[in-house]
């Protein structure tokens, strides 16, 4: 809850009795409707400037508002000029409604109970028009609220829809009046109706049946309609919704938005720091009649990219594929006290030069997708493959004509009409600005993978699924995001990433800084000692630094552009895996030989050949693993068969290291150096085998957490290993350094045993 101050902090909000205002107004009061996301403080300031006399806030869920300070800050703001103001709440019990009302009682003139919203998300929590089916409970809610909110000037109102039976409607209104309702707003449609004409006569019937003020709502498109409603029905106020979005200056008598109104909106948006997407959406509404069709399309395309973007084309009606997967995306858990800011959104455009409905865009969760995958494998054997494929979806998905009793919003018939909403979008206010469709993903139980599919299946007139025969090229531009796109202050490194990749930017950036510090330390070591082994270790560290830098750059670019080249991550993985393979070979060389004779070690045909083969195989495995997915979900290399082959090669390197370590210990004559070798070897063995153990245990880690956990463990283990080696090869680092000192005596013959003996003698002489 945010209260804007426009002047002296000690100036109190003016007190207005809304009931008296309605009763004493000679003509119907001009009222701005509660519109989700749009009836916020900046828009209320705009319509007040053009003559609006009473404003409602957007509908706010009372339970969330009471429980969460974040919800209060996000959903409600006002200032001293925002008066008179009614705050509308959605609630299913009097306790939540009263507590929410008490929180705003000093910043508004009254509260309103939403009893008319027909949207499924309101019905699912027994709010909105669901209260009309429990009329006794609704009446008791109003009575209880009036008993607890004792200030007589603080209004308690309700906004309802009508029943098909008008007598039942009047009876409910009279009960609400007796329960203590201050005034009533009536929308002249039933909960099942959408854009059907409003029965104006019902307003007069209700007005004549009540003593409290009545506000009429529905089908008001101009100031002339407002005046006409007042003359025909005698209502005390007329509420305007969509027409006010298209023309905020409607109450001043203009028939369309003027350029002055647009300029005023720009000024108000700058004053209140309106998020771009909200500003943009209002601008689209206002300029609808000012711009040509092509200009409106261009304006709708203006956006700030903050989420995963998939762009491409697909040919519907093709015999090649019945279904294609556009995206697999893990949406985060929805916070029940801040739903709009935490639920997932899929929105965008699917267009074509053809106006024929050719396919369906389908959204399914992970479990349903697995079921569809099994069905798809056997669909070729079926006479009606579409009926077989879409059967599981039809059991859950809502479709107004064919599946009206289902609750899930899973379908969109595509292509959508050019520069218009998809036919299933019954409320434009629920569609993200600049888009033809929007899916809202709400799951309070936890994060989950969701799949966006295009299917070559259509519903015929008998509500049966049939295969599409219309060969139509569909062009799609779709966005997937966690949290509503017009919410400001969202972390871009979480907002647009699939849940299993959230926070990886911070992980890679931190690793980059750690390994960069190690690289500088090793560079300093090389300047002092300039040993071959130190230079090789520095090269591997530089490769790791570059790898983490590429990973960080990929995440950064993805965060702000919605997409980034997969080649960045491929090169990063190549650098990391090559450096790790090189480090394994280096450790074998250190145990097998001396740093002073690393060149001799690599020059030996069998060791040099082994190094080249291992490096090449590692590169091949990494490249192949980059394109491997499970259920269209990108996997960590350790989860793939190339990764397992790489682990087998690492196991082979481990065996070589153990053998060379064993031979070195047997040859050693100094007890001190033998102890050091054993400690050094055991430490290296931990690094050799940890990835193998992790690869075995990886399947026990939940898929949603697997990538981050594996990456974090690998970064930590590699950092410890590289840090130990940097310390080991640091000049004057301790007695163990003596083991790696160069021989001061010229080595002869190149035989390993003689080289070993000579190095011991030279070390003892020092």
């Amino acid at each position: 809850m945010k209260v804007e101050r426009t002047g002296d902090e000690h100036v109190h909000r003016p007190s207005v009795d809304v009931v008296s205002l309605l009763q004493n107004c000679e003509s119907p009061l001009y009222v701005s409707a509660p519109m989700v996301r749009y009836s916020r403080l900046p828009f209320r300031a705009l319509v007040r400037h053009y003559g609006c006399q009473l404003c409602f806030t957007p509908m706010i869920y009372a339970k969330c508002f009471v429980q969460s300070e974040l919800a209060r800050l996000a959903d409600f703001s006002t200032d001293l000029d925002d008066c008179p103001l009614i705050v509308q709440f959605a609630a299913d019990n009097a306790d939540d409604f009263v507590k929410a009302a008490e929180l705003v009682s000093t910043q508004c003139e009254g509260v309103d109970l939403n009893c008319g919203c027909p949207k499924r998300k309101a019905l699912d929590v027994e709010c909105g028009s669901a209260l009309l089916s429990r009329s006794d409970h609704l009446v008791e809610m109003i009575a209880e609220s009036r008993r607890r909110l004792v200030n007589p000037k603080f209004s308690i109102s309700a906004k309802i829809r009508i029943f098909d039976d008008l007598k039942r409607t009047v009876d409910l209104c009279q009960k609400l009046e007796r329960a203590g309702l201050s005034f009533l707003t009536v929308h002249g449609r039933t909960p099942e109706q959408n854009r059907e004409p409003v029965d104006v006569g019902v307003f007069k019937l209700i007005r004549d049946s009540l003593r409290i003020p009545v506000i009429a709502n529905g089908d008001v498109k101009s100031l002339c309609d407002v005046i006409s409603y007042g003359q025909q029905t005698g209502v005390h106020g007329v509420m305007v919704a969509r027409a006010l979005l298209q023309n905020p200056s409607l109450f001043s008598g203009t028939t369309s938005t003027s350029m002055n109104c647009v300029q005023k909106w720009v000024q108000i948006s700058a004053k209140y720091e309106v998020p771009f997407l909200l500003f943009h959406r209002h601008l689209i509404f206002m300029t609808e009649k000012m711009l040509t069709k092509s200009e409106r399309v261009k304006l709708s395309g203006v956006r700030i990219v903050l989420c995963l973007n998939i762009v491409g084309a697909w040919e519907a009606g093709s015999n090649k594929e019945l279904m294609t997967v556009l995206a697999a995306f893990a949406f985060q858990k929805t916070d029940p006290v801040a739903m709009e800011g935490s639920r997932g959104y899929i929105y965008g455009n699917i267009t074509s030069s053809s106006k024929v409905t050719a396919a369906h865009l389908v959204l399914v969760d992970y479990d349903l997708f697995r079921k569809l995958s099994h069905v798809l494998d056997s669909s070729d054997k079926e006479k009606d493959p579409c009926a077989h494929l879409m059967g599981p979806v039809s059991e859950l998905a809502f479709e107004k004509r064919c599946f009206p009793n289902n609750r899930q919003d899973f379908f969109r018939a595509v292509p959508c009409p050019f520069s218009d909403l998809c036919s299933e979008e019954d409320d434009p206010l629920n569609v993200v600005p600049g888009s033809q469709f929007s899916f809202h993903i709400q799951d309070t139980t936890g994060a989950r993978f969701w799949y966006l599919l295009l299917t070559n299946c259509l519903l015929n007139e008998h509500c049966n699924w049939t295969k599409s025969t219309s060969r139509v090229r569909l062009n799609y531009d779709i966005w997937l995001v966690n949290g509503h796109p017009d919410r400001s202050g969202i972390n871009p490194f979480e907002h647009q990433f699939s849940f299993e990749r959230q926070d990886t930017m911070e992980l890679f950036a931190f690793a980059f800084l750690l390994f960069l510090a190690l690289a500088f330390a090793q560079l300093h070591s090389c300047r002092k000692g300039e040993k071959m082994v130190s230079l090789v270790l520095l090269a591997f560290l530089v490769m790791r630094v570059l790898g983490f830098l590429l990973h960080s750059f990929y995440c950064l670019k993805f965060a702000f552009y919605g997409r980034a080249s997969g080649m960045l991550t491929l090169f990063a993985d190549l650098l990391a895996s090559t450096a790790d393979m090189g480090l394994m070979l280096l450790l074998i060389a250190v145990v097998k030989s001396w740093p002073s004779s690393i060149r001799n070690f690599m020059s030996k045909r069998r060791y040099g050949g082994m190094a080249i083969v291992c490096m090449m195989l590692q590169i091949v495995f990494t490249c192949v693993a980059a394109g491997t997915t499970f259920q269209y979900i990108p996997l960590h290399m350790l989860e793939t068969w190339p990764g397992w082959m790489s682990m087998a090669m690492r196991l082979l390197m481990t065996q070589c290291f153990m053998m060379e370590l064993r031979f070195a210990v047997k040859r050693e004559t100094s007890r001190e150096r033998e102890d050091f070798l054993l400690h050094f070897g055991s430490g290296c063995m931990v690094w050799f085998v940890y990835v193998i153990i992790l690869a075995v245990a990886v399947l026990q880690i939940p898929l949603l957490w697997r990538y981050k956990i594996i990456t974090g463990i690998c970064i930590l283990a590699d950092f410890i290993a590289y840090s130990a080696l940097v310390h080991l090869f640091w000049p004057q680092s301790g007695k163990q350094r003596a083991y790696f000192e160069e021989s001061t005596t010229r080595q002869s013959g190149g035989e390993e045993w003689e080289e070993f003996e000579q190095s011991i003698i030279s070390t003892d002489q020092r």
Side-chain angles (χ1 to χ4, degrees):
M1 186 164 57
K2 185 178 180 182
V3 180
E4 306 280 353
R5 297 296 184 188
T6 57
D8 191 338
E9 291 292 326
H10 300 288
V11 175
H12 294 288
R13 181 186 181 87
S15 177
V16 177
D17 187 340
V18 176
V19 176
S20 298
L21 184 66
L22 286 164
Q23 290 174 334
N24 299 329
C25 194
E26 295 182 359
S27 59
L29 206 68
Y30 301 158
V31 184
S32 173
M35 293 174 282
V36 175
R37 290 192 299 274
Y38 295 106
S39 302
R40 295 180 178 178
L41 176 60
F43 183 72
R44 298 198 299 267
L46 180 65
V47 295
R48 288 185 194 278
H49 179 78
Y50 288 100
C52 183
Q53 297 168 295
L54 176 63
C55 287
F56 281 63
T57 68
M59 181 186 74
I60 302 170
Y61 285 96
K63 180 174 290 187
C64 300
F65 194 80
V66 170
Q67 294 178 351
S68 170
E69 183 179 359
L70 178 63
R72 293 194 288 274
L73 289 171
D75 293 336
F76 178 67
S77 61
T78 186
D79 60 18
L80 297 178
D81 298 323
D82 190 24
C83 179
L85 176 67
I86 302 296
V87 180
Q88 187 184 74
F89 289 107
D92 65 342
N93 63 84
D95 190 56
D96 286 339
F97 184 59
V98 171
K99 287 180 179 178
E102 290 171 342
L103 288 171
V104 299
S105 60
T106 59
Q107 282 88 43
C108 66
E109 281 59 56
V111 290
D112 184 82
L113 180 62
N114 186 308
C115 309
C117 180
K119 302 305 176 187
R120 285 192 297 276
K121 62 182 180 181
L123 300 179
D124 288 343
V125 290
E126 298 297 324
C127 295
S129 61
L131 292 173
L132 296 177
S133 61
R134 299 189 296 159
S135 56
D136 292 340
H137 175 68
L138 171 59
V139 171
E140 180 56 34
M141 281 182 64
I142 296 298
E144 175 68 17
S145 301
R146 187 72 279 177
R147 285 193 293 269
R148 293 171 60 178
L149 297 170
V150 295
N151 182 0
K153 291 187 177 181
F154 188 78
S155 68
I156 299 176
S157 58
K159 184 173 185 288
I160 68 169
R161 287 192 172 220
I162 63 174
F163 298 110
D164 290 324
D165 183 357
L166 295 184
K167 183 179 178 181
R168 183 183 173 192
T169 304
V170 172
D171 181 61
L172 174 62
C173 295
Q174 291 174 337
K175 288 181 179 179
L176 291 172
E177 181 183 35
R178 290 193 293 271
L181 202 69
S182 303
F183 65 89
L184 179 68
T185 302
V186 180
H187 184 93
R189 296 185 179 94
T190 67
E192 293 76 25
Q193 292 177 322
N194 183 22
R195 299 185 183 181
E196 291 82 351
V198 166
D199 181 5
V200 180
V202 74
F203 299 135
K204 179 173 175 56
L205 178 63
I206 295 173
R207 165 70 181 88
D208 293 341
S209 303
L210 303 178
R211 294 187 299 273
I212 60 175
V214 175
I215 297 175
N217 171 231
D219 263 1
V220 180
K221 300 177 181 177
S222 66
L223 184 60
C224 292
D225 291 338
V226 174
I227 297 172
S228 175
Y229 272 37
Q231 292 174 346
Q232 293 181 54
T233 66
V235 292
H236 301 82
V238 177
M239 178 181 285
V240 187
R242 292 178 185 173
L244 206 56
L245 284 176
Q246 295 172 337
N247 179 17
S249 58
L250 180 147
F251 290 129
S252 68
T254 62
T255 56
S256 61
T257 306
S258 65
M259 187 55 67
N260 288 335
C261 182
V262 174
Q263 291 173 346
K264 186 65 179 178
W265 171 239
V266 173
Q267 294 171 4
I268 290 175
S269 298
K271 174 184 176 181
Y272 291 104
E273 299 180 352
V274 176
F276 172 78
L277 288 176
L278 182 60
F279 164 80
H280 179 230
R281 185 57 174 169
H282 277 291
L283 201 61
I284 291 173
F285 279 123
M286 292 180 198
T287 58
E288 184 175 354
K289 296 181 180 179
M290 299 171 58
L291 304 177
T292 64
K293 187 174 182 179
S294 60
E295 289 172 336
R296 290 199 303 272
V297 171
K298 290 180 181 179
L299 179 61
S300 298
V302 177
R303 66 171 81 241
I304 291 179
V305 178
L306 283 175
C307 43
L308 172 62
N309 179 214
I310 52 174
V311 180
W314 187 69
E315 187 174 349
S318 171
N319 293 323
K320 294 181 180 179
E321 51 188 5
L322 195 62
M323 178 184 79
T324 188
V325 178
L326 296 183
F329 195 86
F331 290 98
Q332 65 195 16
K333 177 182 177 181
T334 304
D335 185 351
V337 298
M339 289 188 177
E340 188 173 350
S342 59
R343 68 163 63 100
Y345 289 82
I346 300 176
Y347 60 96
N349 303 283
I350 299 184
T351 57
S352 174
S353 57
S354 173
K355 297 181 180 180
V356 178
T357 299
H360 267 82
L361 181 69
V362 183
L363 176 69
V364 295
D365 65 8
Y366 179 75
D367 294 332
L368 187 53
F369 177 76
R370 292 185 64 184
K371 186 182 294 185
L372 292 183
S373 298
H374 292 306
V375 171
L376 186 64
D377 292 338
S378 59
S379 61
D380 293 337
K381 304 175 184 178
E382 300 292 329
K383 294 182 179 180
D384 299 316
C386 278
H388 190 56
L389 175 66
M390 300 301 291
V393 184
S394 302
E395 295 174 2
L396 302 171
F398 170 84
E399 207 278 336
K400 187 174 183 179
R401 180 173 62 90
C402 297
F403 315 118
N405 296 324
N406 293 342
R407 306 297 291 272
Q408 301 298 331
D409 182 22
F410 283 168
F411 291 145
R412 294 293 183 274
V414 292
C416 303
F418 187 71
S419 73
D420 200 359
L421 301 181
C422 292
S423 58
E424 291 83 0
E425 299 294 352
D426 55 359
D427 187 354
L429 301 184
N430 285 331
V431 181
V432 173
S435 304
Q436 294 177 304
F437 69 88
S438 291
F439 289 109
H440 299 181
I441 293 87
Q442 183 172 303
D443 189 346
T444 58
T445 60
R448 197 191 313 182
F449 276 103
W450 289 80
Y451 291 81
L452 193 62
L453 319 171
L454 275 172
T455 65
N456 260 322
C457 299
L458 298 174
L459 282 169
N460 62 20
E461 63 274 13
H462 304 296
C463 292
N464 296 321
W465 287 103
T466 59
K467 192 171 182 180
S468 173
T469 57
S470 303
R471 295 184 69 88
V472 174
R473 181 180 175 85
L474 302 177
N475 300 302
Y476 55 84
D477 183 4
I478 301 173
W479 308 79
L480 300 92
V481 62
N482 281 296
H484 196 278
D486 72 359
R487 288 291 178 120
S488 59
I490 295 178
N491 182 356
F493 303 115
E494 292 182 356
H495 181 57
Q496 77 292 16
F497 283 89
S498 182
F499 178 81
E500 85 282 5
R501 298 299 177 100
Q502 287 183 354
D503 300 315
T504 52
M505 169 65 192
E506 292 90 331
L507 193 63
F508 288 125
F510 184 62
F512 167 74
L513 294 176
L514 289 178
F515 277 80
L516 184 63
L518 278 183
F520 275 113
Q522 185 61 21
L523 178 62
H524 180 70
S525 174
C526 290
R527 286 179 175 176
K528 285 192 172 185
E530 296 185 357
K531 302 296 186 294
M532 181 65 179
V533 69
S534 297
L535 292 173
V536 173
L537 181 60
L538 176 62
F540 295 151
L541 277 170
V542 170
M543 292 171 70
R544 293 308 304 266
V545 169
L546 291 176
F548 289 126
L549 181 62
L550 289 176
H551 272 302
S552 301
F553 183 70
Y554 172 86
C555 294
L556 191 65
K557 187 175 180 181
F558 188 91
F560 292 101
Y561 291 93
R563 51 181 178 264
S565 173
M567 295 301 292
L568 290 173
T569 56
L570 176 59
F571 284 134
D573 291 339
L574 283 173
L575 288 169
S577 59
T578 304
D580 284 351
M581 180 57 66
L583 185 62
M584 285 187 278
L585 293 169
L586 176 64
L587 292 174
I588 294 174
V590 166
V591 175
K592 176 73 177 176
S593 184
W594 300 116
S596 59
S597 59
I598 290 292
R599 293 184 182 89
N600 294 334
F601 173 83
M602 294 301 295
S603 66
K604 293 182 183 295
R605 184 173 299 176
R606 58 172 176 167
Y607 294 119
M610 181 180 70
I612 294 173
V613 170
C614 289
M615 289 289 189
M616 294 301 295
L617 285 175
Q618 188 64 32
I619 291 173
V620 171
F621 291 150
T622 304
C623 291
V624 175
T628 306
T629 62
F630 172 74
Q631 301 286 6
Y632 296 92
I633 301 169
L635 299 177
H636 192 281
M637 185 174 176
L638 295 186
E639 303 174 76
T640 66
W641 72 262
W644 299 334
M645 296 298 293
S646 178
M647 292 306 101
M649 193 163 60
R650 190 180 183 109
L651 192 60
L652 179 62
M653 295 293 101
T654 304
Q655 184 67 23
C656 292
F657 178 80
M658 291 176 63
M659 291 175 59
E660 298 301 340
L661 179 64
R662 179 167 171 264
F663 293 150
V665 170
K666 282 186 175 182
R667 293 195 299 261
E668 188 56 64
T669 58
S670 168
R671 180 65 180 175
E672 183 179 0
R673 288 195 292 272
E674 181 181 336
D675 289 341
F676 168 74
L677 262 179
L678 291 173
H679 285 89
F680 171 72
S682 59
C684 292
M685 281 297 301
V686 173
W687 181 78
F688 267 99
V689 302
Y690 91 91
V691 178
I692 301 172
I693 297 173
L694 188 59
V696 174
V698 69
L699 296 179
Q700 305 304 316
I701 303 173
L703 190 60
L704 286 163
W705 294 94
R706 197 173 292 172
Y707 182 83
K708 286 183 279 194
I709 290 177
I710 294 174
T711 303
I713 292 175
C714 289
I715 289 174
L716 178 61
D718 290 347
F719 176 72
I720 293 173
Y722 278 96
S723 298
L725 289 175
V726 169
H727 173 68
L728 186 63
F729 297 128
W730 190 266
Q732 295 88 37
S733 64
K735 291 183 179 180
Q736 71 271 29
R737 177 63 183 163
Y739 182 79
F740 294 102
E741 289 293 335
E742 288 186 274
S743 174
T744 56
T745 306
R746 183 177 180 179
Q747 299 176 3
S748 60
E751 293 295 329
E752 295 170 10
W753 177 259
E754 294 176 358
E755 185 179 295
F756 179 83
E757 292 286 342
Q758 185 64 35
S759 62
I760 293 177
I761 294 171
S762 62
T763 303
D764 289 339
Q765 288 175 347
R766 286 195 296 272

